Amino acid sequence: MPESTDKPQHEPAAAAPKKAAGPKAADRRSADRKAAERRAAKKAKRQRRAQRGSGPTPQWYKYVMFGLMVVGLLWIITFYVTQGLFPFPELGNWNILAGFGIAIVGFLMTLRWRG
């Protein structure tokens, strides 16, 4: 059967009287505020990083990067050509690792190179 029109309508939830905010509500607001501050700080940090990262890499960075690659390669070649007498005979075969390590540092520098 259809409902009669003389029944009172329910009030919307927004019109209900509000309860006094307890300590849990204050903690929640404080946590929300801190989270918003953290998000704002992260956003500001990303913007600073983007501004700082713009533009080409300084000239000295390129020289160091390519220099390390060449020095590492020459280290390994020198070790092989001199049959272990140079660059440091006391390191033995660890000279190969040292040469590769120097060259790898140069290659890793290419990750930050902006033409």
Side-chain angles (χ1 to χ4, degrees):
M1 283 177 50
E3 294 185 25
S4 68
T5 56
D6 56 293
K7 286 186 179 179
Q9 299 278 333
H10 292 303
E11 291 184 26
K18 294 184 179 181
K19 296 180 182 178
K24 289 183 181 180
D27 290 342
R28 193 175 313 120
R29 282 193 305 267
S30 172
D32 290 344
R33 192 175 325 118
K34 287 180 183 177
E37 289 172 357
R38 281 193 300 268
R39 283 191 302 269
K42 284 183 181 180
K43 184 177 180 180
K45 186 176 180 180
R46 279 193 304 265
Q47 289 173 344
R48 283 193 308 269
R49 189 178 297 147
Q51 288 173 352
R52 180 179 60 204
S54 63
T57 306
Q59 197 71 24
W60 64 266
Y61 189 87
K62 297 172 192 176
Y63 292 135
V64 170
M65 177 180 68
F66 289 120
L68 287 173
M69 288 185 228
V70 170
V71 167
L73 180 64
L74 290 176
W75 189 295
I76 295 169
I77 290 172
T78 303
F79 176 72
Y80 275 119
V81 169
T82 62
Q83 297 177 355
L85 296 176
F86 291 103
F88 293 104
E90 58 272 1
L91 289 180
N93 287 335
W94 287 98
N95 277 300
I96 297 170
L97 183 66
F100 274 119
I102 293 168
I104 286 173
V105 169
F107 281 112
L108 289 175
M109 287 178 74
T110 63
L111 296 174
R112 295 216 180 239
W113 181 31
R114 296 176 311 274

